[in-house]
Amino acid sequence: MVDLSLSEDQQAFQKIARDFLDNEVVPHRAQWDRDERVDTAIIPKLGELGFFGLTIPEEYGGLGGDYITYCIGMEELGRADSSVRGIVSVSMGLFGKIVLDHGTEAQKQEWLPGIATGEKLGCFGLTEPDTGSDAGNLRTRATRNGSDWVINGSKIFITNGSWADVCIVFARTGGPGPKGVSAFLVPTDTPGFIREEIHGKLGLRGQVTSSLTFEDVRVPDSAMVGQEGGGFKIAMNSLDKGRVSVGAGCTGIIQGCLEAVVDYSTTRKQFGRQLASFQMIQDMIAQISLDADAARLLSWRAADLIERGLPFSIEASKAKLFASEKAVDAANMAIQVFGGYGYVDEYPVQKYMRDARVMTLYEGTSQIQKLLIGRAETGVNAFL
Ligand code: CAA
């Protein structure tokens, strides 16, 4: 790992995180992948170590850590098992951070202590069957009824959906487009909240991904987060931070591929020589090593901007775009180095490949990131 003068606390956290994950996750990840389910006993253990509260302040039960520490945690999780990273990242990074940044004091008191310790899981209900990239045109509707809101509609591809205790649901309370969207905190045991697991995924098989249906789901006015009509900006703002997490998690995939190919190529022999002694193998290893450093630095740059309270959304898009595309490339090259062994699940590289693939899709596709970067560079909006 590149050393950019991490503080002692950051280095200590990285070591604790890696040791823990190498013992508690890495030995089981292939079986969890086959089972299409992590052993959920890992969730309270991750909570004890502080993964779910990395950037949540101590007063709400978190570690109160900085965003570079957050990136370190997400990288280590991505190196170990992206399914586990997804569980943490969505519960804390998307759900928890929304409550922290936009919630009332009562909402923070109600939800953050449980989220920060992993005792409760959150999920993020934005994507719908007909509106993925075009999130501003979502159709789920919340209608006022006395002092309550009644929600009807559906969501799809929701990480943690079937395991979560609470969901931040984005629903239309006004007219068409982004300005008509509001956000609500909805406990998943509310009558009419229906969840169904999605099976047969290419990767991220250990985490639960669900479709959600809302049939007259009634919540009080106090469930609204932020202002009426302010939900889309809350979603975009939290996705900016989520993209830093994806960038760091993908750095972990690239780093994992690097370690795997170095280990394999220095022990495996062909034509009477170490694989590592072949120039074409070194070419791939050098590329993966370079991409690990570049992905890490892009993620840390965005994290540093967050820490300093500066605009970071385009830097987050660049980190996510680069790291996710390079994670796919790294895993693909790693399989090439491993040859036939790379194609079976005795070794981790095929799992890295399958897990990496969704990273170019969720939390904004590579094309959406490019259009955001292009809009920032040119001032011309390609979404109109
Ligand atoms: N932060 C705060 N506000 C923002 C913002 C941001 N990053 N981006 C946009 N806004 C504001 C704009 O300023 C604008 O407000 P004003 O009108 O007051 O100026 C408003 O939001 C609308 O912005 P746009 O005109 O840019 O909106 P758009 O409809 O053109 O959409 C988009 C832009 C970039 C395509 C957006 O829809 C988008 O990011 N789509 C991708 C959705 C996505 O990432 N989905 C991921 C699903 S979640 C997931 O994967 C979770 C999981 O379980 C892992």
Side-chain angles (χ1 to χ4, degrees):
M1 179 168 194
V2 63
D3 178 8
L4 278 188
S5 301
L6 294 180
S7 71
E8 280 182 17
D9 282 354
Q10 289 165 335
Q11 289 179 39
F13 177 73
Q14 191 201 3
K15 181 166 177 4
I16 291 168
R18 182 168 289 209
D19 289 348
F20 170 83
L21 295 168
D22 276 348
N23 285 315
E24 300 280 347
V25 169
V26 170
H28 308 293
R29 62 187 173 190
Q31 192 56 46
W32 293 347
D33 186 63
R34 289 180 207 124
D35 293 345
E36 284 196 63
R37 187 186 176 94
V38 301
D39 178 353
T40 48
I42 193 66
I43 294 173
K45 291 184 188 174
L46 290 160
E48 270 173 44
L49 223 65
F51 277 105
F52 284 98
L54 274 174
T55 56
I56 294 180
E58 289 175 21
E59 62 182 299
Y60 299 115
L63 292 186
D66 60 275
Y67 261 83
I68 299 285
T69 306
Y70 179 67
C71 284
I72 292 168
M74 293 306 117
E75 178 176 337
E76 292 304 323
L77 285 165
R79 174 185 169 274
D81 186 344
S82 290
S83 284
V84 179
R85 185 192 65 79
I87 296 168
V88 175
S89 183
V90 168
S91 189
M92 179 189 66
L94 287 182
F95 177 84
K97 292 297 287 184
I98 285 179
V99 177
L100 185 66
D101 292 347
H102 305 280
T104 61
E105 191 52 39
Q107 289 168 338
K108 292 179 197 179
Q109 295 289 352
E110 183 176 4
W111 292 111
L112 288 180
I115 292 293
T117 52
E119 283 157 42
K120 290 202 181 333
L121 283 184
C123 66
F124 181 81
L126 179 68
T127 300
E128 299 188 354
D130 292 325
T131 55
S133 293
D134 189 12
N137 279 317
L138 61 82
R139 294 180 187 171
T140 292
R141 182 160 276 285
T143 311
R144 200 177 255 295
N145 185 295
S147 61
D148 294 341
W149 291 92
V150 178
I151 304 174
N152 282 284
S154 60
K155 303 286 174 182
I156 198 164
F157 305 134
I158 306 302
T159 303
N160 289 347
S162 298
W163 296 347
D165 300 279
V166 57
C167 180
I168 181 94
V169 176
F170 297 93
R172 187 161 302 285
T173 51
K179 286 189 167 51
V181 176
S182 300
F184 297 90
L185 288 168
V186 186
T188 54
D189 59 2
T190 310
F193 194 125
I194 300 158
R195 307 184 272 178
E196 197 175 340
E197 291 186 19
I198 297 168
H199 289 286
K201 288 177 291 180
L202 177 67
L204 298 188
R205 294 165 69 92
Q207 70 177 44
V208 75
T209 307
S210 308
S211 52
L212 312 177
T213 306
F214 312 113
E215 289 181 359
D216 291 331
V217 172
R218 183 176 287 271
V219 290
D221 210 19
S222 59
M224 185 180 278
V225 180
Q227 301 297 314
E228 188 174 338
F232 184 76
K233 287 188 187 181
I234 291 175
M236 290 300 108
N237 181 255
S238 66
L239 278 171
D240 287 342
K241 289 185 179 149
R243 287 166 188 163
V244 181
S245 169
V246 177
C250 289
T251 306
I253 293 178
I254 305 170
Q255 180 67 31
C257 288
L258 177 63
E259 291 170 25
V261 292
V262 167
D263 183 50
Y264 189 77
S265 68
T266 51
T267 48
R268 169 112 170 139
K269 286 190 175 160
Q270 290 290 283
F271 303 100
R273 293 160 53 186
Q274 281 178 306
L275 275 191
S277 71
F278 292 96
Q279 291 185 1
M280 278 189 270
I281 298 290
Q282 289 208 8
D283 176 80
M284 289 190 272
I285 292 173
Q287 188 64 52
I288 298 171
S289 174
L290 174 64
D291 290 343
D293 281 0
R296 185 175 297 117
L297 291 171
L298 284 170
S299 302
W300 286 9
R301 176 178 68 165
D304 179 58
L305 291 170
I306 296 175
E307 270 309 300
R308 291 193 283 138
L310 295 169
F312 67 95
S313 64
I314 296 304
E315 288 76 11
S317 284
K318 286 180 178 173
K320 196 259 179 194
L321 171 62
F322 183 85
S324 61
E325 292 289 340
K326 293 303 181 182
V328 174
D329 291 350
N332 201 24
M333 283 189 276
I335 292 172
Q336 201 66 23
V337 172
F338 273 72
Y341 291 103
Y343 201 65
V344 290
D345 68 2
E346 186 186 343
Y347 292 98
V349 288
Q350 50 74 40
K351 180 175 181 305
Y352 281 135
M353 176 83 208
R354 290 185 287 105
D355 288 346
R357 193 61 189 82
V358 78
M359 308 293 172
T360 70
L361 305 174
Y362 75 3
E363 302 210 22
T365 62
S366 291
Q367 287 69 28
I368 288 291
Q369 309 312 327
K370 285 181 181 169
L371 294 179
L372 287 168
I373 297 163
R375 180 166 73 180
E377 292 290 356
T378 62
V380 178
N381 188 358
F383 299 116
L384 293 173

